[in-house]
Amino acid sequence: MTGTLAVVGLGPGGAAHRTRAAEDAVRDAQVVLGYQAYLMACADLTGPHQCVLSSGIGAEQQRAEDAVRAAAGGARVALVSSGDAGIYGMASLALTTVAALPPAQRPAVQVVPGITAAVAAAALLGAPLARDFACLTLSDALAPWEAVEARLRAVAAADLVLALYNPRSRGRSWQLGRAREVLVEYRPGDTPVGLVTDAGRDSTQVELTTLATLDPAQAGMHTVVIVGGTSTNRLGDWLVTARSLGAL
Ligand code: SAH
């Protein structure tokens, strides 16, 4: 008999931003798998009666396979991700891994949504995502940089507000600076930019700047960068995008 696999988005970090469905899925699981930092984010929900398996940050395919194997073997499994598991998270890999199994061996899968970083950051900044926006990852780990930059140009030209994920990490230090150079070709230097680090955690930091003055060193591994569009204004300490859109 096959078991079940819940692919769970834990939200941006703190317990206050987890959904009840996410908490139930982790509590009900017999096996909980995830990157060690995500397991820490739900350590209050797990206990000695569960098998908690932690893995390193890069080992995503292995983690998906381990989770699917345990579920196919009959266990109730929770595979945890930060934010939303479907957004730069584990849901895609998990579903692809399940689909590769013969139908009779496939566990039932449930994807449990979570608050993604863009939304958690936007709430701290005010209302920058009030109209159309795009999420982009600046990571070139799974795509050539040329493809990342082509998408950045397309959304920059479309005047969408941008939420830039993975702006910087220990091994990737130049991508945000290059993205800034591209964006100033399309948007004025005084375009408001907000950097939010550790949204939803005790260590939350919010910085307001502009495209002209954005310093890539302000971003880290847990930063999401929100870049305004033509209808985004700085109102005191808030970034607010107007609901109405002028004629072209
Ligand atoms: N699945 C996650 C995203 C994983 S990609 C989600 O839906 O949020 C990892 C990137 O997400 C980080 O580089 C950072 O850009 C962003 N991120 C994750 N947690 C964050 C947090 N608490 N505050 C700000 N950005 C965060």
Side-chain angles (χ1 to χ4, degrees), residues 143-152:
W145 175 257
E146 294 68 36
V148 175
E149 189 171 314
R151 290 189 171 198
L152 184 63

Side-chain angles (χ1 to χ4, degrees), residues 98-228:
V98 168
L101 290 175
Q105 290 174 29
R106 289 178 197 157
V109 182
Q110 187 196 6
V111 181
V112 182
I115 295 180
T116 191
V119 169
L124 290 163
L125 292 167
L129 308 182
R131 212 176 152 105
D132 308 319
F133 69 96
C135 294
L136 268 96
T137 172
L138 295 186
S139 171
D140 52 358
L142 300 173
W145 175 257
E146 294 68 36
V148 175
E149 189 171 314
R151 290 189 171 198
L152 184 63
R153 286 184 185 280
V155 290
D159 191 28
L160 298 175
V161 173
L162 305 179
L164 303 177
Y165 285 67
N166 295 299
R168 190 185 179 95
S169 72
R170 226 167 290 142
R172 292 183 307 100
S173 56
W174 55 266
Q175 284 81 354
L176 180 59
R178 176 64 194 146
R180 194 190 76 87
E181 282 171 14
V182 169
L183 289 169
V184 290
E185 291 179 35
Y186 299 87
R187 300 189 183 184
D190 63 358
T191 298
V193 173
L195 293 98
V196 179
T197 302
D198 287 345
R201 302 179 194 162
D202 293 342
S203 45
T204 299
Q205 275 183 43
V206 177
E207 291 182 71
L208 295 173
T209 179
T210 64
L211 263 188
T213 54
L214 169 64
D215 173 6
Q218 290 171 296
M221 268 183 76
H222 301 128
T223 305
V224 70
V225 181
I226 307 283
V227 181

Side-chain angles (χ1 to χ4, degrees), residues 61-78:
Q61 181 63 45
Q62 187 62 47
R63 204 182 305 150
E65 283 170 18
D66 291 348
V68 170
R69 192 175 318 110
R76 276 195 315 279
V77 178

